[in-house]
Amino acid sequence: MVIEQYSPARIADRFMIQDLMYRWCRAVDRLDKQGMLDIFHQGAIDSHGPYIGPVEGLIDWILVRHKPIAISSHFIGNLLVEFVTEDLALVESYVRTIQQYPPEGKAQLAQLTGGASGNPEAATDMFTSSRYMDHVERRNGEWRIARRDLIQDWKQLAEVQHKALQPHEGWIIGRRDGQDALDLARRELKLSLTDR
C-alpha cells in the first residue's frame, strides 16, 4: 500500500510532528519535566548515548545531569518526515546543541563526550551536531514519539575565556528554573507550560 505523503491530512500531520520536535527543544532547555514527558508515548524507549532505556528514566537523568548547566539551547534544523502508515512515521531531525558547563559540571560533560571535559578550572562550551531518528506514532489521535535514537555526528569543546554576556538592568536573560520570560508570559496568558 502506497501512503500519500502530501495530502492535506498528511500536511497537517507533518505540522503536528514538527511542533512535537520544537516542543521537545523548549521543554529540555527549560527543564520542563511534564513538557518532556508529553513528547513521548508512555513506555517509549530512548537511546541517548550514555542513557539507553525508558524515556521516563531519560527525563529523570536529564533533570539531574542538567542541574549545573545554566545555558542550554537545542535547535532543530532539517526535518524529514516519511510516513510508513497512516499512523506511523520515521522522522529524522538535525539538532544543534550549545551548552555551557561550569567547572563543577565537568562530570556531566564527560558523560556526553565519552570522557573529554576540557580544562577542569574553566567553564566549557559544548557544541554538538546530532540527529534524532524517531519512530513517531499516532495513538488516540495524538502524534508522539514511540522510539528515539540519538545519532551523534560531531562535538566540539571550547574553553570560555570571557563571559561575553554582561547584562544591564532591564535585560531579559534566559532561565531554566520555571521563571523564564516565556514561562511567565504563558502563565499570564493562562497557557499551560505543556499546551500544544
Side-chain angles (χ1 to χ4, degrees):
M1 176 171 123
V2 176
I3 301 298
E4 172 58 51
Q5 298 289 313
Y6 295 99
S7 68
R10 289 283 77 110
I11 291 170
D13 290 337
R14 286 176 184 279
F15 278 117
M16 286 185 259
I17 291 168
Q18 175 181 292
D19 282 355
L20 192 69
M21 302 310 161
Y22 294 162
R23 288 189 353 252
W24 166 258
C25 293
R26 176 168 55 189
V28 75
D29 288 336
R30 300 283 66 85
L31 294 178
D32 174 4
K33 181 176 183 174
Q34 189 59 52
M36 287 187 267
L37 285 168
D38 287 346
I39 302 306
F40 296 89
H41 286 296
Q42 187 174 2
I45 300 297
D46 193 303
S47 176
H48 214 87
Y51 178 88
I52 300 170
V55 73
E56 296 82 2
L58 169 78
I59 292 166
D60 289 340
W61 176 75
I62 286 172
L63 292 171
V64 170
R65 200 185 78 67
H66 279 231
K67 276 185 182 178
I69 304 169
I71 300 163
S72 179
S73 178
H74 288 69
F75 176 80
I76 296 290
N78 300 346
L79 191 140
L80 183 62
V81 178
E82 298 175 276
F83 292 99
V84 179
T85 69
E86 296 289 322
D87 298 312
L88 172 64
L90 180 65
V91 181
E92 179 188 36
S93 307
Y94 281 66
V95 60
R96 302 290 188 265
T97 307
I98 303 168
Q99 294 176 325
Q100 188 170 94
Y101 291 78
E104 62 273 16
K106 294 303 176 95
Q108 287 85 347
L109 177 57
Q111 285 180 334
L112 284 189
T113 63
S117 63
N119 179 348
E121 304 299 319
T124 300
D125 286 338
M126 180 181 70
F127 304 89
T128 74
S129 178
S130 303
R131 290 171 286 140
Y132 295 134
M133 182 176 64
D134 295 318
H135 294 249
V136 182
E137 295 179 6
R138 177 171 36 203
R139 299 180 192 166
N140 301 316
E142 186 171 14
W143 288 100
R144 290 188 183 198
I145 297 169
R147 174 169 180 88
R148 167 168 280 175
D149 292 300
L150 175 68
I151 302 168
Q152 301 180 63
D153 294 319
W154 172 84
K155 285 183 174 34
Q156 178 178 332
L157 302 179
E159 185 176 316
V160 177
Q161 300 292 324
H162 306 282
K163 283 201 164 248
L165 180 60
Q166 301 292 323
H168 294 272
E169 186 176 336
W171 289 20
I172 300 170
I173 305 302
R175 297 175 61 162
R176 304 186 78 200
D177 61 357
Q179 299 302 310
D180 186 74
L182 181 67
D183 298 333
L184 299 176
R186 292 181 59 110
R187 280 196 286 277
E188 180 182 334
L189 296 170
K190 302 194 180 350
L191 295 170
S192 76
L193 289 179
T194 57
D195 277 345
R196 281 135 194 66

